[in-house]
Amino acid sequence: MVAPFAVVALNAVKSPAEYSAGGPLSLPDGLYLDGLKDFWERVDFGQKLVNSVVISGSVAVLAAVLSVLNAYAIGIGRIKGRPWVLAFFVLANMLPQEALVYPIYYLLKEVGLYDTRLSVILVFTVIQSAFGTYLLSSVLGAFPKEVVEAARIDGANKWQVLWRVVVPVSRPTIGVLLVFFFIWTWNEFLLPLVMLISNDNQTVSVALGVLQGQRLMDATMTNAAALLGIAPAILFFLIFQRTLARGIAVGAVK
């Protein structure tokens, strides 16, 4: 993972003449930042960055909350038809996004949410929560019944059991889901491309795709675009890597 990122970073600060003379693996003679500047101004990258952060952050939080609520009902509440409900969420995860494009497009047109960031947030919240529900249902299905029963004996209702007992114990797993939901949504391309046609609403991934189609031979700008596109996701991953390690360790112990 480090080597491809290093190659992209080097080519992002290399002039087109140096790229043509030495190729993608040659070292630059100096820092050529015009590629980064041109890409930033060409696609209004600041606005795209804000859109991606708002959409990805909102989806991560909302999908995690929805997953917790669903998994609590399935894993601890033991609703009737639990295997069939879990099978439904598994099938939802297996459904390709290409099959969802037209129904979602038509529905958003009908309700007046087409070409809004809210539309993408709602769609990806449902999509990501399908996986989150399936994962958390397995975790909460093995939750100690004695702890839940002790809380109920102490007078806690269902909401208090959820937020004061279940969520604190399951926090490492929920943290892992938050990180994954953010990164997955950040990298989504097809649905944002179809649902966000206005330049002011588009995300970073859509901006990268549009640039690739317009300036295919501009290697410096293409690498600059790739660097700016993946840098926020990598930064987010590095900030929350302890959360990921903690969640994986807890899962291994269980």
Side-chain angles (χ1 to χ4, degrees), residues 80-94:
K80 294 182 179 180
R82 179 175 180 269
W84 294 104
V85 175
L86 289 178
F88 171 78
F89 283 108
V90 172
L91 291 175
N93 281 300
M94 297 173 61

Side-chain angles (χ1 to χ4, degrees), residues 5 12 33-54 56 117 182 186-187 198-212 221-235:
F5 178 77
L33 301 180
D34 288 350
L36 295 170
K37 179 181 177 181
D38 291 344
F39 170 72
W40 189 288
E41 295 177 350
R42 178 179 295 275
V43 301
D44 191 12
F45 187 78
Q47 182 62 45
K48 304 297 188 299
L49 185 62
V50 171
N51 292 337
S52 289
V53 170
V54 170
S56 300
R117 291 184 296 187
F182 183 93
W186 182 279
N187 292 326
S198 297
N199 187 59
D200 293 338
N201 292 328
Q202 290 177 348
T203 60
V204 170
S205 60
V206 175
L208 295 177
V210 172
L211 175 71
Q212 188 73 8
M221 183 177 290
T222 300
N223 283 279
L227 179 62
L228 289 176
I230 63 177
I234 293 178
L235 179 62

Side-chain angles (χ1 to χ4, degrees), residues 12-184:
V13 296
K14 185 188 301 182
S15 67
E18 290 176 332
Y19 186 90
S20 300
L25 299 181
S26 63
L27 295 176
D29 295 333
L31 293 180
Y32 178 82
L33 301 180
D34 288 350
L36 295 170
K37 179 181 177 181
D38 291 344
F39 170 72
W40 189 288
E41 295 177 350
R42 178 179 295 275
V43 301
D44 191 12
F45 187 78
Q47 182 62 45
K48 304 297 188 299
L49 185 62
V50 171
N51 292 337
S52 289
V53 170
V54 170
I55 292 174
S56 300
S58 300
V59 169
V61 174
L62 294 176
V65 172
L66 186 58
S67 299
V68 169
L69 295 176
N70 292 338
Y72 179 66
I74 297 172
I76 294 180
R78 297 292 180 177
I79 61 175
K80 294 182 179 180
R82 179 175 180 269
W84 294 104
V85 175
L86 289 178
F88 171 78
F89 283 108
V90 172
L91 291 175
N93 281 300
M94 297 173 61
L95 191 66
Q97 291 189 9
E98 290 80 1
L100 301 175
V101 170
Y102 179 74
I104 293 177
Y105 169 81
Y106 182 79
L107 178 61
L108 295 177
K109 278 281 191 178
E110 289 294 315
V111 299
L113 290 178
Y114 182 69
D115 195 23
T116 62
R117 291 184 296 187
L118 178 60
S119 64
V120 179
I121 291 173
L122 293 176
V123 170
F124 280 121
T125 294
V126 175
I127 293 175
Q128 306 291 22
S129 64
F131 172 80
T133 298
Y134 175 74
L135 178 64
L136 280 177
S137 296
S138 302
V139 174
L140 297 186
F143 198 87
K145 297 181 180 179
E146 296 80 7
V147 177
V148 177
E149 292 175 355
R152 290 174 176 171
I153 291 175
D154 290 338
N157 56 34
K158 293 182 179 180
W159 286 102
Q160 291 173 330
V161 171
L162 172 61
W163 298 115
R164 296 185 181 181
V165 179
V166 176
V167 170
V169 174
S170 306
R171 188 173 298 166
T173 305
I174 298 173
V176 171
L177 287 179
L178 281 169
V179 176
F180 282 163
F181 289 163
F182 183 93
I183 295 177
W184 289 344

